[in-house]
Amino acid sequence: MKYIVLAAAIVAEVIATTAMKQSDGFSRPLWTVVTVVGYAVAFWFLSITLKSIPTGIAYAIWSGVGIVLISAAAWAFNGQKLDAPAVIGMTLIISGVVVMNVFSKTSAH
């Protein structure tokens, strides 16, 4: 269950960050509201997650998966190009998160 709550925090943060681009510097009210509400929901779910997952592990998962999902959303919705170094970098980030979760003694297992 704790990873489902963390996943909800990640999804809310990805939605909020994607909406921030659409808000055009907070000049578009609907997208601004989506951004603010999305971040509020993300931090609320993250705060619940931190009751059962160590902070470093939770944040590593949140930021690593978030980077990849936000990049994918920017590619899909904003025409952002992802070249080979970007994809390699994101792969290394995810690899680091996996190493932390599988091999670290601070993991939430």
Side-chain angles (χ1 to χ4, degrees):
M1 185 64 159
K2 58 190 171 189
Y3 287 104
I4 292 171
V5 176
L6 180 57
I10 293 166
V11 168
E13 192 256 341
V14 169
I15 290 169
T17 301
T18 302
M20 187 185 306
K21 169 71 173 163
Q22 300 303 319
S23 77
D24 195 29
F26 297 126
S27 66
R28 298 172 69 195
L30 176 63
W31 290 110
T32 298
V33 169
V34 173
T35 299
V36 171
V37 170
Y39 279 123
V41 169
F43 283 114
W44 181 66
F45 278 128
L46 182 61
S47 73
I48 293 169
T49 300
L50 294 179
K51 292 179 180 180
S52 58
I53 299 176
T55 304
I57 298 296
Y59 196 76
I61 294 169
W62 176 4
S63 60
V65 173
I67 287 169
V68 172
L69 291 179
I70 289 166
S71 295
W75 172 78
F77 301 118
N78 302 111
Q80 177 179 318
K81 305 294 183 215
L82 296 175
D83 58 8
V87 173
I88 292 167
M90 288 186 287
T91 302
L92 290 170
I93 290 168
I94 294 299
S95 298
V97 171
V98 170
V99 166
M100 284 181 71
N101 276 283
V102 173
F103 299 109
S104 175
K105 293 184 191 313
T106 64
S107 180
H109 305 242

